[in-house]
């Protein structure tokens, strides 16, 4: 499912126009992104948790030449599914 299909499904499910559903989706993603940038996390009970994972600097290898190279420290978004979501998938 791509963004257009998601917006259409949200609009139908919630009884909204596609324009309103797209605004709601944009607002949700903006709020989650802002919270993660501030070092926080977004927890939706039963659905899951969005948080930031810290990756430390390390040494890797260039796959073409095999020479060692430094990989800088970075932050990555992480999603952990909640129990209710996992249970619904396994029924």
């Amino acid at each position: 499912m791509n963004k257009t299909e998601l917006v259409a499904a949200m609009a139908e499910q919630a009884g909204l126009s596609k324009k309103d559903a797209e605004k709601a989706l944009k607002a949700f993603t903006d709020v989650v992104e802002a919270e993660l940038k501030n070092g926080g996390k977004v927890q939706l009970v039963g659905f899951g948790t969005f948080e930031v994972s810290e990756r430390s600097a390390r040494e890797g290898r260039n796959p073409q030449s095999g020479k060692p190279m430094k990989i800088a420290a970075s932050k990555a978004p992480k999603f952990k599914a909640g129990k209710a979501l996992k249970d619904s998938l396994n029924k």
Side-chain angles (χ1 to χ4, degrees), residues 12-28:
E12 184 178 330
Q13 183 84 21
L16 300 170
S17 68
K18 286 185 183 179
K19 193 172 190 175
D20 287 342
E22 186 170 4
K23 285 167 88 174
L25 179 61
K26 175 85 169 107
F28 173 76

Side-chain angles (χ1 to χ4, degrees), residues 6 8 13 20 25 27-28 32 38 46 48 54 56 62 66-68 71 76-77 80 83 86-87:
L6 177 60
Q13 183 84 21
D20 287 342
L25 179 61
F28 173 76
V32 171
N38 291 331
E54 305 270 342
S56 58
N62 181 327
K67 293 182 180 177
I71 300 171
K80 182 179 177 186
K83 184 177 181 339
K86 289 179 194 176
D87 291 346

Side-chain angles (χ1 to χ4, degrees), residues 2 6 10-11 16 20 26 30 32 38 41 50 52 64 75 91:
N2 63 29
L6 177 60
M10 286 174 56
L16 300 170
D20 287 342
K26 175 85 169 107
D30 288 348
V32 171
N38 291 331
K41 67 179 183 178
F50 296 91
V52 177
Q64 290 181 340
K75 295 179 182 180
K91 285 188 177 180

Side-chain angles (χ1 to χ4, degrees), residues 67-79:
K67 293 182 180 177
M69 58 186 275
K70 294 194 185 304
I71 300 171
S74 64
K75 295 179 182 180
K78 181 170 86 170
F79 176 76

